[in-house]
Amino acid sequence: MEAPLVEVKGLVKHFPINKGGFLISRRVASVHAVDNISFDIHRGETLGLVGESGCGKSTTSQLLVRLIDATAGTIRFDGEDISALSGSALRRKRKDFQIIFQDPYSSLNPRMRVRDLLSEPMEISGMNSPERAARVFELLSLVGLARRHADRFPHEFSGGQRQRIGIARALALKPKFVVCDEPVSALDVSVQAQIVNLLKDLQGEFGLTYLFVAHDLSVVRHISDRVAVMYLGKIVEIASKSSIFSNPQHPYTQALISSLPMPRPRQTRRVIALKGDVPSPIDPPSGCRFHTRCPLVVDRCRVQEPPSREVGTHSVACHLA
């Protein structure tokens, strides 16, 4: 089997909480945003990453493209450990992995024309002016915009058009891997479908590899090949799309899937209602982090953290799976 394009091993990100003044301060706690997660993404694949707000999905996204540095763990991209890169070496490698941000309203500089927004990464990478101009028009065509749009400012576009510009900017340097950090959550439902279909078409045309982060399980089901489920900084289950939605193994995944609306009004499904709130990532529970809300909890779950193990075609972190 071909080696994965992205290999994540033991990835950790803790944000310190300091107390004291500007000159004298000390760490009093840490936010455990991402806590020892491991997964692979194969070439040409779309891995969906789902979970409740605050579980660490966006932090994971930013770690993979080195927008923030990891506390521990390794990220290997195309066989190279990029978690150790810095300075010019990181800048040279960054053209191979890009990100599409969640909010198309704040991720584009309002003082720059579309032409400048798209050509800026090319200029940084050393592309000459004629090549940049031709590439800008090529990118606009790829995402369904016209040449005349190159001289407009972001405020002159709708939300869906702005996200198309964000997609074009991510593709400017012909990356191999693109992180889609909730790219449709700020858009209307009809526009969401257009953007998701555009991403699928671009993947088929250029052989792109995606990490697709989303809250909407229906969107994840449509675009993903495999799905990873995250809870409070941990990945609790990974499996193929069909297996996750037809036979979820982890109690948290089962609760998420049960909340999906049924496509036909006469169909029914037993909804698993989780009790209580998500614990604080500053002081996560001992043992299994889901045990405070799990309907199947046993004493072992409260004291022993479950390792991730293979259950059929699933990778599941649960003692009872």
Side-chain angles (χ1 to χ4, degrees):
M1 182 179 292
E2 188 179 13
L5 180 65
V6 180
E7 301 174 80
V8 176
K9 301 296 181 186
L11 193 62
V12 176
K13 181 58 181 179
H14 293 170
F15 293 99
I17 299 176
N18 296 324
K19 185 177 182 180
F22 176 73
L23 296 177
I24 302 176
S25 65
R26 59 188 178 89
R27 179 181 297 189
V28 296
S30 295
V31 176
H32 297 241
V34 174
D35 226 347
N36 194 24
I37 64 172
S38 300
F39 60 89
D40 297 334
I41 308 176
H42 297 276
R43 298 172 193 274
E45 178 186 42
T46 299
L47 177 66
L49 183 61
V50 301
E52 292 172 284
S53 295
C55 70
K57 304 187 301 298
S58 290
T59 302
T60 301
S61 301
Q62 294 175 42
L63 287 168
L64 290 192
V65 293
R66 290 296 312 277
L67 290 181
I68 56 177
D69 294 329
T71 304
T74 60
I75 304 165
R76 298 188 68 83
F77 179 82
D78 208 6
E80 182 179 359
D81 184 2
I82 64 170
S83 54
L85 295 181
S86 61
S88 59
L90 178 59
R91 285 193 294 273
R92 285 193 300 270
K93 195 69 177 176
R94 197 181 289 282
K95 66 181 179 63
D96 291 330
F97 46 87
Q98 295 292 317
I99 185 169
I100 301 167
F101 293 100
Q102 175 179 355
D103 186 1
Y105 294 90
S106 63
S107 61
L108 301 177
N109 189 331
R111 300 188 178 189
M112 296 177 68
R113 298 180 188 272
V114 170
R115 182 191 307 276
D116 299 323
L117 287 166
L118 299 184
S119 62
E120 185 178 37
M122 298 181 253
E123 184 178 359
I124 293 172
S125 68
M127 189 180 296
N128 63 45
S129 182
E131 290 177 327
R132 295 201 303 269
R135 180 63 175 161
V136 165
F137 293 135
E138 180 185 355
L139 290 168
L140 289 174
S141 176
L142 284 174
V143 299
L145 296 176
R147 295 169 69 99
R148 68 178 184 274
H149 292 138
D151 291 315
R152 295 185 182 180
F153 290 96
H155 73 269
E156 300 179 76
F157 296 92
S158 67
Q161 289 174 319
R162 293 188 197 195
Q163 197 59 291
R164 289 173 186 269
I165 296 169
I167 293 171
R169 182 176 60 180
L171 298 180
L173 298 178
K174 301 181 180 180
K176 300 176 183 177
F177 174 56
V178 179
V179 171
C180 308
D181 186 11
E182 302 196 41
V184 297
S185 62
L187 306 177
D188 294 336
V189 174
S190 60
V191 180
Q192 288 183 12
Q194 296 173 18
I195 297 300
V196 169
N197 289 332
L198 172 62
L199 289 171
K200 291 191 71 174
D201 291 342
L202 292 170
Q203 183 177 41
E205 184 172 353
F206 300 110
L208 298 171
T209 303
Y210 290 147
L211 174 70
F212 191 90
V213 178
H215 282 98
D216 191 332
L217 292 175
S218 299
V219 174
V220 171
R221 188 173 194 169
H222 180 68
I223 196 172
S224 300
D225 299 303
R226 289 188 301 140
V227 179
V229 182
M230 200 166 187
Y231 182 81
L232 204 61
K234 296 279 190 179
I235 289 182
V236 297
E237 185 169 2
I238 302 179
S240 68
K241 171 181 64 179
S242 57
S243 296
I244 281 281
F245 284 93
S246 64
N247 187 29
Q249 295 294 310
H250 195 280
Y252 180 61
T253 311
Q254 293 169 3
L256 290 180
I257 300 300
S258 75
S259 67
L260 276 173
M262 300 299 290
R264 298 180 180 85
R266 295 183 181 275
Q267 286 183 311
T268 59
R269 177 193 283 134
R270 184 176 70 90
V271 177
I272 303 173
L274 299 178
K275 298 180 180 179
D277 297 323
V278 179
S280 170
I282 297 175
D283 185 23
S286 60
C288 176
R289 295 194 173 179
F290 186 58
H291 84 256
T292 59
R293 305 172 72 199
C294 181
L296 306 177
V297 63
V298 296
D299 290 341
R300 182 184 180 188
C301 303
R302 297 185 176 92
V303 295
Q304 183 179 346
E305 182 177 340
S308 183
R309 57 193 178 90
E310 300 301 316
V311 179
T313 58
H314 297 236
S315 177
V316 189
C318 178
H319 294 304
L320 306 178

